[in-house]
Amino acid sequence: MKRVLVLGCTGSIGKNAINIIENMPEHFQLCGIQAHSNKDELEKLSKEYNCPSLLTSINNSEEAFKDLIEKSKPDIVVNGIAGAAGLIPSKIVLESKIDLALANKETIVMAGSLIKDLAAKNNTKILPVDSEHSAIFNLVERIGKNNISKIIITASGGPFRTFSSEELNNVTLEQALKHPTWQMGKKITIDSSTLANKGLEVIEASFLFDVEADQIEVVVHPQSLIHSLVRTNDGMLYAQISDPDMKHPIFNALTWPDNINSYLKPFDLFDQTMNFYKPRINDFPLLGYAFECVRQKNAYPIAFNAANEVAVQGFINKSISYPAISRIVRAVLDKNWNNKISDFKDVLEADKLAREYALEMI
């Protein structure tokens, strides 16, 4: 039986992870939980499962996370924390020599090389929980990286896939928060609508799977049934297909490397429609900026993530318009981010500076 610590337990990833634990008590035990601000739900879960908890809006120190790990003694940690706040917890988990089921893409976007080196040093696994990276991880593990020429990441296209350039200029917050496929938090839902989320996934894939920008492709697939594909050296495509339910990639991460029976509904291939389109980079420029950051490397991915987080919050607060999100990210990236990233201090300094630039523009 695996002991599971869930960070971000009141968010969508956390809730789905707990659902799996509840439905498979012979395989998993919830041994600890963390939430940012939902104190009532945190206390309720802590009592129900008789496990230690941490509310980070009160105590966000590294020592607090270390103490939670020490008390809960997990075999694996699910990191479902949103945004850059998830980086340091990921670092602490790997330093504690515990496997990491990672939904927090910012961990890899901001500090991919450092995080991978830390995992290798401590002989721990990073198991992707994003549906796209979970799909790629499984395909790479089964086919072999040397046999793969290209990674193809699918995107739903968000709620504005068919909007004209003029219509995109007048998008409201309420419109941006209505995703056609997935039920997610505000920030990631808006990121999905701008394709910034797909851009973050491109950067994440480049680090996780050691591939360059020209080995990554994005295809818009509105039904979100194919979660990603790989093209092998002989030109063939291999895909991972399942219903758009985040419990599937979480389940896969929790059970890896075993492939066990699941309580989740098997995918039914009959009467399904699948469409594929090229992304409209000109109308959704954040995706193009992400590819640029993969090519530039150094602190560019950190600046992309930080500027986007600040701009999205500005849009949520109704301080800026929808098109201003990409304009602010572009302006921040036009600064010089060629400084080398040698340690986590460098990461946090670049993140802080990019946020300051973005806030000034807002």
Side-chain angles (χ1 to χ4, degrees):
M1 178 179 291
K2 284 186 183 177
R3 294 172 59 83
V4 184
L5 167 59
V6 178
L7 307 180
C9 68
T10 60
S12 60
I13 294 294
K15 287 178 179 176
N16 280 321
I18 291 171
N19 179 275
I20 292 169
I21 294 166
E22 286 176 339
N23 280 278
M24 303 192 71
E26 71 279 17
H27 292 282
F28 307 114
Q29 178 187 352
L30 184 65
C31 67
I33 48 176
Q34 175 272 344
H36 175 61
S37 58
N38 195 335
K39 184 179 179 181
D40 291 343
E41 183 67 16
L42 187 72
E43 288 179 348
K44 176 174 171 281
L45 287 168
S46 182
K47 288 177 183 175
E48 183 179 348
Y49 289 94
N50 189 30
C51 64
S53 63
L54 172 64
L55 187 71
T56 56
S57 60
I58 295 173
N59 188 346
N60 199 27
S61 68
E62 290 194 32
E63 288 71 26
F65 279 101
K66 289 176 182 175
D67 184 59
L68 179 62
I69 288 172
E70 180 61 33
K71 287 179 178 175
S72 56
K73 295 179 172 54
D75 298 307
I76 188 168
V77 176
V78 176
N79 186 350
I81 296 173
L87 170 60
I88 297 304
S90 291
K91 170 178 171 282
I92 293 167
V93 170
L94 295 174
E95 286 174 341
S96 303
K97 301 183 178 180
I98 297 167
D99 287 342
L100 177 63
L102 186 61
N104 177 264
K105 60 176 64 66
E106 290 81 2
T107 291
I108 301 297
V109 170
M110 294 172 68
S113 297
L114 298 175
I115 286 291
K116 285 193 72 180
D117 288 348
L118 193 57
K121 175 186 172 184
N122 290 304
N123 195 29
T124 53
K125 271 280 191 186
I126 300 172
L127 300 158
V129 167
D130 263 351
S131 65
E132 295 82 1
H133 298 88
S134 173
I136 297 165
F137 175 81
N138 278 278
L139 290 165
V140 169
E141 287 286 326
R142 285 161 174 76
I143 294 171
K145 186 175 182 296
N146 292 339
N147 299 317
I148 293 170
S149 61
K150 184 161 282 192
I151 285 169
I152 301 168
I153 303 173
T154 53
S156 70
F160 310 131
R161 180 177 62 82
T162 60
F163 274 39
S164 67
S165 303
E166 294 73 22
E167 287 174 313
L168 287 170
N169 287 328
N170 300 306
V171 162
T172 66
L173 176 61
E174 291 70 26
Q175 287 176 306
L177 290 174
K178 291 179 182 176
H179 194 280
T181 310
W182 299 95
Q183 295 298 315
M184 305 175 290
K186 284 184 180 181
K187 195 265 180 182
I188 192 172
T189 302
I190 292 168
D191 279 352
S192 181
S193 76
T194 64
L195 294 194
N197 188 54
K198 208 51 50 179
L200 291 168
E201 290 175 5
V202 167
I203 297 170
E204 186 181 8
S206 73
F207 281 118
L208 278 176
F209 306 109
D210 295 313
V211 290
E212 298 297 328
D214 62 359
Q215 294 174 278
I216 305 172
E217 188 177 335
V218 172
V219 60
V220 174
H221 168 49
Q223 294 83 13
S224 299
L225 299 175
I226 293 180
H227 298 283
S228 276
L229 310 93
V230 295
R231 188 181 297 279
T232 48
N233 297 331
D234 58 8
M236 299 295 105
L237 286 173
Y238 294 83
Q240 189 266 316
I241 309 173
S242 66
D243 289 315
D245 183 343
M246 283 306 298
K247 286 190 283 293
H248 290 295
I250 298 169
F251 179 88
N252 185 269
L254 290 178
T255 57
W256 184 267
D258 299 320
N259 194 317
I260 66 175
N261 290 334
S262 167
Y263 69 98
L264 301 170
K265 188 181 82 169
F267 180 71
D268 185 355
L269 196 59
F270 294 106
D271 300 319
Q272 300 283 3
T273 299
M274 298 187 197
N275 302 109
F276 306 93
Y277 307 93
K278 289 184 177 180
R280 293 159 50 201
I281 299 287
N282 290 339
D283 290 321
F284 299 92
L286 287 168
L287 179 58
Y289 301 164
F291 274 98
E292 182 183 316
C293 290
V294 172
R295 294 185 181 96
Q296 298 272 31
K297 297 182 172 61
N298 296 323
Y300 280 91
I302 301 168
F304 177 90
N305 177 70
N308 180 65
E309 275 195 22
V310 171
V312 168
Q313 191 57 51
F315 177 61
I316 291 172
N317 295 341
K318 300 192 174 180
S319 302
I320 61 171
S321 67
Y322 186 77
I325 297 173
S326 60
R327 290 201 295 268
I328 287 169
V329 174
R330 178 69 267 167
V332 171
L333 289 177
D334 284 340
K335 307 282 186 182
N336 185 349
W337 300 100
N338 281 315
N339 43 307
K340 300 290 184 186
I341 302 300
S342 302
D343 54 34
F344 286 94
K345 182 183 175 186
D346 292 341
V347 173
L348 297 176
E349 285 178 356
D351 177 76
K352 181 173 180 285
L353 185 59
R355 288 172 192 276
E356 289 172 356
Y357 286 145
L359 282 168
E360 284 173 15
M361 291 164 196
I362 289 176

